[in-house]
CSV table of all heavy atoms in Angstrom, one decimal:
chain,number,residue,atom,x,y,z
A,1,MET,N,-36.2,-9.0,10.3
A,1,MET,CA,-35.4,-9.2,9.1
A,1,MET,C,-35.5,-10.7,8.7
A,1,MET,O,-35.9,-11.6,9.5
A,1,MET,CB,-33.9,-8.9,9.4
A,1,MET,CG,-33.2,-9.8,10.4
A,1,MET,SD,-31.5,-9.6,10.4
A,1,MET,CE,-31.0,-11.0,11.5
A,2,ARG,N,-35.1,-11.0,7.5
A,2,ARG,CA,-35.1,-12.4,7.0
A,2,ARG,C,-33.8,-13.0,7.3
A,2,ARG,O,-32.7,-12.4,7.2
A,2,ARG,CB,-35.3,-12.4,5.5
A,2,ARG,CG,-36.7,-11.9,5.0
A,2,ARG,CD,-36.7,-11.7,3.5
A,2,ARG,NE,-35.7,-10.8,3.1
A,2,ARG,CZ,-35.0,-10.8,2.0
A,2,ARG,NH1,-35.3,-11.8,1.1
A,2,ARG,NH2,-34.1,-9.9,1.7
A,3,ALA,N,-33.8,-14.3,7.7
A,3,ALA,CA,-32.6,-15.0,8.0
A,3,ALA,C,-32.8,-16.5,7.8
A,3,ALA,O,-33.9,-17.0,8.0
A,3,ALA,CB,-32.2,-14.7,9.5
A,4,LEU,N,-31.7,-17.2,7.5
A,4,LEU,CA,-31.8,-18.7,7.6
A,4,LEU,C,-31.7,-19.0,9.1
A,4,LEU,O,-30.9,-18.4,9.8
A,4,LEU,CB,-30.7,-19.3,6.8
A,4,LEU,CG,-30.7,-19.0,5.3
A,4,LEU,CD1,-29.6,-19.9,4.6
A,4,LEU,CD2,-32.1,-19.3,4.7
A,5,ARG,N,-32.4,-20.1,9.5
A,5,ARG,CA,-32.5,-20.4,10.9
A,5,ARG,C,-32.7,-21.9,11.1
A,5,ARG,O,-33.4,-22.5,10.3
A,5,ARG,CB,-33.7,-19.6,11.4
A,5,ARG,CG,-33.7,-19.5,13.0
A,5,ARG,CD,-32.8,-18.4,13.4
A,5,ARG,NE,-32.9,-18.1,14.8
A,5,ARG,CZ,-32.0,-17.4,15.5
A,5,ARG,NH1,-30.9,-17.0,14.9
A,5,ARG,NH2,-32.2,-17.2,16.8
A,6,PHE,N,-32.0,-22.4,12.1
A,6,PHE,CA,-32.3,-23.8,12.5
A,6,PHE,C,-32.4,-23.9,14.1
A,6,PHE,O,-31.6,-23.2,14.8
A,6,PHE,CB,-31.3,-24.8,12.0
A,6,PHE,CG,-29.9,-24.5,12.4
A,6,PHE,CD1,-29.3,-25.2,13.5
A,6,PHE,CD2,-29.1,-23.6,11.7
A,6,PHE,CE1,-27.9,-25.0,13.8
A,6,PHE,CE2,-27.7,-23.4,12.1
A,6,PHE,CZ,-27.2,-24.0,13.1
A,7,ASP,N,-33.4,-24.6,14.5
A,7,ASP,CA,-33.7,-24.7,16.0
A,7,ASP,C,-33.1,-26.0,16.6
A,7,ASP,O,-33.0,-26.1,17.8
A,7,ASP,CB,-35.2,-24.7,16.2
A,7,ASP,CG,-35.9,-23.4,15.9
A,7,ASP,OD1,-35.2,-22.4,16.1
A,7,ASP,OD2,-37.0,-23.4,15.3
A,8,LYS,N,-32.7,-26.9,15.7
A,8,LYS,CA,-32.0,-28.1,16.2
A,8,LYS,C,-31.1,-28.6,15.0
A,8,LYS,O,-31.4,-28.2,13.8
A,8,LYS,CB,-32.9,-29.2,16.7
A,8,LYS,CG,-33.9,-29.7,15.7
A,8,LYS,CD,-34.8,-30.8,16.3
A,8,LYS,CE,-35.8,-31.3,15.4
A,8,LYS,NZ,-36.6,-32.4,16.0
A,9,THR,N,-30.1,-29.4,15.3
A,9,THR,CA,-29.2,-29.9,14.3
A,9,THR,C,-29.5,-31.3,13.9
A,9,THR,O,-30.3,-32.0,14.6
A,9,THR,CB,-27.8,-29.8,14.8
A,9,THR,OG1,-27.6,-30.6,15.9
A,9,THR,CG2,-27.4,-28.3,15.1
A,11,SER,N,-30.1,-32.5,10.5
A,11,SER,CA,-30.6,-32.6,9.1
A,11,SER,C,-30.7,-31.2,8.5
A,11,SER,O,-31.1,-30.3,9.2
A,11,SER,CB,-31.9,-33.4,9.1
A,11,SER,OG,-32.5,-33.3,7.8
A,12,LEU,N,-30.5,-31.2,7.2
A,12,LEU,CA,-30.7,-29.9,6.5
A,12,LEU,C,-32.2,-29.6,6.4
A,12,LEU,O,-32.6,-28.4,6.1
A,12,LEU,CB,-30.1,-30.0,5.1
A,12,LEU,CG,-28.6,-30.0,5.0
A,12,LEU,CD1,-28.1,-30.0,3.5
A,12,LEU,CD2,-28.0,-28.8,5.7
A,13,ASP,N,-33.0,-30.5,6.7
A,13,ASP,CA,-34.5,-30.2,6.8
A,13,ASP,C,-34.8,-29.3,7.9
A,13,ASP,O,-35.9,-28.7,8.0
A,13,ASP,CB,-35.3,-31.5,7.0
A,13,ASP,CG,-35.2,-32.4,5.8
A,13,ASP,OD1,-35.0,-31.9,4.7
A,13,ASP,OD2,-35.5,-33.6,5.9
A,14,GLU,N,-33.9,-29.1,8.9
A,14,GLU,CA,-34.1,-28.2,10.0
A,14,GLU,C,-33.9,-26.8,9.6
A,14,GLU,O,-34.3,-25.9,10.4
A,14,GLU,CB,-33.1,-28.6,11.2
A,14,GLU,CG,-33.2,-30.0,11.7
A,14,GLU,CD,-34.6,-30.4,12.2
A,14,GLU,OE1,-35.3,-29.4,12.6
A,14,GLU,OE2,-34.9,-31.6,12.2
A,15,LEU,N,-33.2,-26.5,8.5
A,15,LEU,CA,-32.9,-25.1,8.1
A,15,LEU,C,-34.1,-24.5,7.4
A,15,LEU,O,-34.7,-25.1,6.5
A,15,LEU,CB,-31.7,-25.1,7.1
A,15,LEU,CG,-31.1,-23.8,6.8
A,15,LEU,CD1,-30.5,-23.1,8.0
A,15,LEU,CD2,-30.1,-24.0,5.7
A,16,LYS,N,-34.5,-23.3,7.9
A,16,LYS,CA,-35.7,-22.6,7.3
A,16,LYS,C,-35.4,-21.2,7.1
A,16,LYS,O,-34.4,-20.6,7.6
A,16,LYS,CB,-36.9,-22.7,8.3
A,16,LYS,CG,-37.2,-24.1,8.9
A,16,LYS,CD,-37.7,-25.0,7.8
A,16,LYS,CE,-38.1,-26.4,8.5
A,16,LYS,NZ,-38.6,-27.3,7.5
A,17,LEU,N,-36.1,-20.5,6.2
A,17,LEU,CA,-36.1,-19.1,6.1
A,17,LEU,C,-37.1,-18.5,7.1
A,17,LEU,O,-38.3,-18.9,7.0
A,17,LEU,CB,-36.5,-18.7,4.6
A,17,LEU,CG,-36.4,-17.2,4.4
A,17,LEU,CD1,-35.0,-16.6,4.4
A,17,LEU,CD2,-37.0,-16.9,3.0
A,18,ALA,N,-36.6,-17.6,7.9
A,18,ALA,CA,-37.5,-17.1,9.0
A,18,ALA,C,-37.4,-15.6,9.1
A,18,ALA,O,-36.5,-15.0,8.5
A,18,ALA,CB,-37.0,-17.8,10.3
A,19,SER,N,-38.3,-15.1,9.8
A,19,SER,CA,-38.3,-13.6,10.2
A,19,SER,C,-38.0,-13.5,11.6
A,19,SER,O,-38.7,-14.0,12.5
A,19,SER,CB,-39.7,-13.0,9.9
A,19,SER,OG,-39.7,-11.6,10.2
A,20,ILE,N,-36.9,-12.8,11.9
A,20,ILE,CA,-36.4,-12.7,13.3
A,20,ILE,C,-36.1,-11.2,13.5
A,20,ILE,O,-35.9,-10.4,12.6
A,20,ILE,CB,-35.2,-13.6,13.6
A,20,ILE,CG1,-34.0,-13.2,12.7
A,20,ILE,CG2,-35.5,-15.0,13.4
A,20,ILE,CD1,-32.7,-13.9,13.1
A,43,ASP,N,-20.4,-24.4,7.2
A,43,ASP,CA,-21.8,-24.0,7.4
A,43,ASP,C,-22.8,-25.1,7.3
A,43,ASP,O,-23.7,-25.2,8.1
A,43,ASP,CB,-22.1,-22.8,6.4
A,43,ASP,CG,-21.3,-21.6,6.6
A,43,ASP,OD1,-21.0,-21.2,7.7
A,43,ASP,OD2,-20.9,-21.0,5.6
A,47,VAL,N,-25.2,-27.1,10.4
A,47,VAL,CA,-26.7,-27.5,10.5
A,47,VAL,C,-26.8,-29.0,10.7
A,47,VAL,O,-27.7,-29.4,11.4
A,47,VAL,CB,-27.4,-27.1,9.2
A,47,VAL,CG1,-28.9,-27.4,9.3
A,47,VAL,CG2,-27.2,-25.6,8.9
A,48,LEU,N,-25.8,-29.7,10.2
A,48,LEU,CA,-25.9,-31.2,10.4
A,48,LEU,C,-25.5,-31.7,11.7
A,48,LEU,O,-25.5,-32.9,12.0
A,48,LEU,CB,-25.0,-31.9,9.3
A,48,LEU,CG,-25.5,-31.7,7.8
A,48,LEU,CD1,-24.5,-32.3,6.9
A,48,LEU,CD2,-26.9,-32.4,7.7
A,56,VAL,N,-28.1,-23.7,19.7
A,56,VAL,CA,-29.3,-23.4,19.0
A,56,VAL,C,-30.3,-22.6,19.9
A,56,VAL,O,-30.3,-22.8,21.1
A,56,VAL,CB,-29.9,-24.7,18.4
A,56,VAL,CG1,-29.1,-25.2,17.3
A,56,VAL,CG2,-30.2,-25.7,19.5
A,57,PRO,N,-31.3,-21.9,19.3
A,57,PRO,CA,-31.5,-21.7,17.8
A,57,PRO,C,-30.3,-20.8,17.3
A,57,PRO,O,-29.8,-20.0,18.0
A,57,PRO,CB,-32.8,-21.0,17.8
A,57,PRO,CG,-32.9,-20.3,19.1
A,57,PRO,CD,-32.3,-21.2,20.1
A,58,ARG,N,-30.1,-20.9,15.9
A,58,ARG,CA,-28.9,-20.3,15.4
A,58,ARG,C,-29.2,-19.9,13.9
A,58,ARG,O,-29.8,-20.6,13.2
A,58,ARG,CB,-27.7,-21.2,15.5
A,58,ARG,CG,-26.4,-20.6,15.0
A,58,ARG,CD,-26.0,-19.4,15.9
A,58,ARG,NE,-26.0,-19.8,17.3
A,58,ARG,CZ,-26.4,-19.0,18.3
A,58,ARG,NH1,-26.9,-17.8,18.0
A,58,ARG,NH2,-26.3,-19.3,19.6
A,59,THR,N,-28.6,-18.8,13.5
A,59,THR,CA,-28.5,-18.4,12.1
A,59,THR,C,-27.0,-18.7,11.7
A,59,THR,O,-26.1,-18.2,12.3
A,59,THR,CB,-28.7,-16.9,11.9
A,59,THR,OG1,-30.1,-16.6,12.2
A,59,THR,CG2,-28.4,-16.4,10.5
A,60,PRO,N,-26.8,-19.5,10.6
A,60,PRO,CA,-25.5,-19.9,10.2
A,60,PRO,C,-24.8,-18.8,9.4
A,60,PRO,O,-25.5,-17.8,9.1
A,60,PRO,CB,-25.7,-21.2,9.4
A,60,PRO,CG,-27.1,-21.0,8.8
A,60,PRO,CD,-27.9,-20.2,9.8
A,61,GLY,N,-23.6,-19.1,9.0
A,61,GLY,CA,-22.9,-18.1,8.1
A,61,GLY,C,-21.6,-17.6,8.8
A,61,GLY,O,-21.7,-16.8,9.8
A,92,ASP,N,-25.2,-15.5,16.2
A,92,ASP,CA,-25.9,-15.5,14.9
A,92,ASP,C,-25.0,-15.0,13.8
A,92,ASP,O,-24.3,-14.0,14.0
A,92,ASP,CB,-27.2,-14.7,14.9
A,92,ASP,CG,-28.3,-15.5,15.7
A,92,ASP,OD1,-28.2,-16.7,15.8
A,92,ASP,OD2,-29.3,-14.8,16.1
A,94,SER,N,-24.0,-14.8,9.3
A,94,SER,CA,-24.2,-13.8,8.2
A,94,SER,C,-25.2,-14.2,7.2
A,94,SER,O,-25.5,-13.4,6.3
A,94,SER,CB,-22.8,-13.7,7.5
A,94,SER,OG,-22.4,-14.9,7.0
A,95,HIS,N,-25.9,-15.4,7.3
A,95,HIS,CA,-26.9,-15.7,6.3
A,95,HIS,C,-28.2,-15.1,6.7
A,95,HIS,O,-29.2,-15.8,7.0
A,95,HIS,CB,-27.0,-17.3,6.2
A,95,HIS,CG,-25.7,-17.8,5.6
A,95,HIS,ND1,-25.4,-19.2,5.6
A,95,HIS,CD2,-24.6,-17.2,5.0
A,95,HIS,CE1,-24.2,-19.4,5.1
A,95,HIS,NE2,-23.7,-18.2,4.7
A,96,ALA,N,-28.2,-13.8,6.7
A,96,ALA,CA,-29.3,-13.0,7.1
A,96,ALA,C,-29.2,-11.6,6.4
A,96,ALA,O,-28.2,-11.3,5.8
A,96,ALA,CB,-29.3,-12.9,8.6
A,97,GLU,N,-30.2,-10.7,6.6
A,97,GLU,CA,-30.1,-9.4,6.1
A,97,GLU,C,-29.1,-8.5,6.9
A,97,GLU,O,-28.5,-7.6,6.3
A,97,GLU,CB,-31.5,-8.7,6.1
A,97,GLU,CG,-32.4,-9.4,5.1
A,97,GLU,CD,-33.8,-8.7,5.0
A,97,GLU,OE1,-34.6,-8.9,6.0
A,97,GLU,OE2,-34.0,-7.9,4.1
A,302,PRO,N,-30.2,-15.5,-4.3
A,302,PRO,CA,-31.0,-14.7,-3.3
A,302,PRO,C,-31.1,-15.5,-2.0
A,302,PRO,O,-31.2,-16.7,-2.0
A,302,PRO,CB,-32.3,-14.4,-4.0
A,302,PRO,CG,-32.5,-15.5,-5.0
A,302,PRO,CD,-31.1,-15.8,-5.5
A,303,LEU,N,-31.2,-14.7,-0.9
A,303,LEU,CA,-31.4,-15.4,0.4
A,303,LEU,C,-32.5,-16.3,0.5
A,303,LEU,O,-32.5,-17.4,1.1
A,303,LEU,CB,-31.5,-14.3,1.5
A,303,LEU,CG,-31.6,-14.8,2.9
A,303,LEU,CD1,-30.3,-15.5,3.3
A,303,LEU,CD2,-31.9,-13.6,3.9
A,304,GLU,N,-33.6,-16.0,-0.3
A,304,GLU,CA,-34.8,-16.8,-0.3
A,304,GLU,C,-34.5,-18.2,-0.8
A,304,GLU,O,-35.3,-19.2,-0.4
A,304,GLU,CB,-35.9,-16.2,-1.1
A,304,GLU,CG,-36.5,-14.9,-0.5
A,304,GLU,CD,-35.7,-13.7,-0.8
A,304,GLU,OE1,-34.6,-13.8,-1.4
A,304,GLU,OE2,-36.1,-12.6,-0.4
A,305,GLN,N,-33.5,-18.4,-1.6
A,305,GLN,CA,-33.2,-19.7,-2.1
A,305,GLN,C,-32.1,-20.4,-1.3
A,305,GLN,O,-31.7,-21.5,-1.6
A,305,GLN,CB,-32.6,-19.6,-3.6
A,305,GLN,CG,-33.7,-19.1,-4.6
A,305,GLN,CD,-33.1,-18.9,-6.0
A,305,GLN,OE1,-32.0,-19.5,-6.3
A,305,GLN,NE2,-33.8,-18.2,-6.8
A,306,GLY,N,-31.8,-19.8,-0.1
A,306,GLY,CA,-30.7,-20.3,0.7
A,306,GLY,C,-30.8,-21.8,1.1
A,306,GLY,O,-29.9,-22.6,1.1
A,307,VAL,N,-32.0,-22.1,1.5
A,307,VAL,CA,-32.3,-23.5,2.0
A,307,VAL,C,-32.0,-24.5,0.9
A,307,VAL,O,-31.3,-25.5,1.1
A,307,VAL,CB,-33.7,-23.7,2.5
A,307,VAL,CG1,-34.0,-25.1,2.9
A,307,VAL,CG2,-33.9,-22.8,3.8
A,308,GLN,N,-32.5,-24.2,-0.3
A,308,GLN,CA,-32.2,-25.1,-1.4
A,308,GLN,C,-30.8,-25.1,-1.8
A,308,GLN,O,-30.2,-26.2,-2.2
A,308,GLN,CB,-33.1,-24.7,-2.6
A,308,GLN,CG,-33.0,-25.7,-3.8
A,308,GLN,CD,-33.5,-27.1,-3.4
A,308,GLN,OE1,-34.5,-27.3,-2.8
A,308,GLN,NE2,-32.6,-28.1,-3.8
A,309,VAL,N,-30.1,-24.0,-1.7
A,309,VAL,CA,-28.7,-23.9,-2.1
A,309,VAL,C,-27.9,-24.8,-1.1
A,309,VAL,O,-26.9,-25.5,-1.5
A,309,VAL,CB,-28.2,-22.5,-2.1
A,309,VAL,CG1,-26.7,-22.4,-2.3
A,309,VAL,CG2,-28.9,-21.6,-3.1
A,310,TYR,N,-28.2,-24.8,0.1
A,310,TYR,CA,-27.5,-25.6,1.1
A,310,TYR,C,-27.7,-27.1,0.7
A,310,TYR,O,-26.7,-27.9,0.7
A,310,TYR,CB,-28.1,-25.5,2.5
A,310,TYR,CG,-27.4,-24.5,3.4
A,310,TYR,CD1,-27.5,-23.1,3.2
A,310,TYR,CD2,-26.7,-25.0,4.5
A,310,TYR,CE1,-26.8,-22.3,4.1
A,310,TYR,CE2,-26.1,-24.1,5.4
A,310,TYR,CZ,-26.1,-22.8,5.2
A,310,TYR,OH,-25.5,-21.9,6.1
A,311,ARG,N,-28.9,-27.5,0.3
A,311,ARG,CA,-29.1,-28.9,-0.1
A,311,ARG,C,-28.3,-29.2,-1.4
A,311,ARG,O,-27.7,-30.3,-1.5
A,311,ARG,CB,-30.6,-29.1,-0.3
A,311,ARG,CG,-31.4,-29.1,0.9
A,311,ARG,CD,-32.8,-29.7,0.6
A,311,ARG,NE,-33.7,-29.6,1.8
A,311,ARG,CZ,-34.7,-28.7,1.9
A,311,ARG,NH1,-34.9,-27.8,1.0
A,311,ARG,NH2,-35.4,-28.7,3.0
A,324,LEU,N,-24.7,-16.1,-0.9
A,324,LEU,CA,-26.1,-15.6,-0.7
A,324,LEU,C,-26.1,-14.1,-0.7
A,324,LEU,O,-25.3,-13.4,-0.1
A,324,LEU,CB,-26.7,-16.1,0.6
A,324,LEU,CG,-26.8,-17.6,0.8
A,324,LEU,CD1,-27.3,-18.0,2.2
A,324,LEU,CD2,-27.7,-18.2,-0.3
Side-chain angles (χ1 to χ4, degrees):
M1 70 170 186
R2 295 168 303 148
L4 297 187
R5 198 78 172 165
F6 58 99
D7 293 323
K8 61 181 179 177
T9 63
S11 167
L12 292 181
D13 290 340
E14 304 299 337
L15 189 64
K16 311 291 183 185
L17 181 68
S19 179
I20 63 173
D43 296 321
V47 183
L48 293 175
V56 291
R58 186 63 56 219
T59 294
D92 285 339
S94 60
H95 294 167
E97 291 183 284
L303 183 63
E304 290 81 358
Q305 295 179 17
V307 173
Q308 186 60 49
V309 175
Y310 264 72
R311 292 196 184 102
L324 297 179

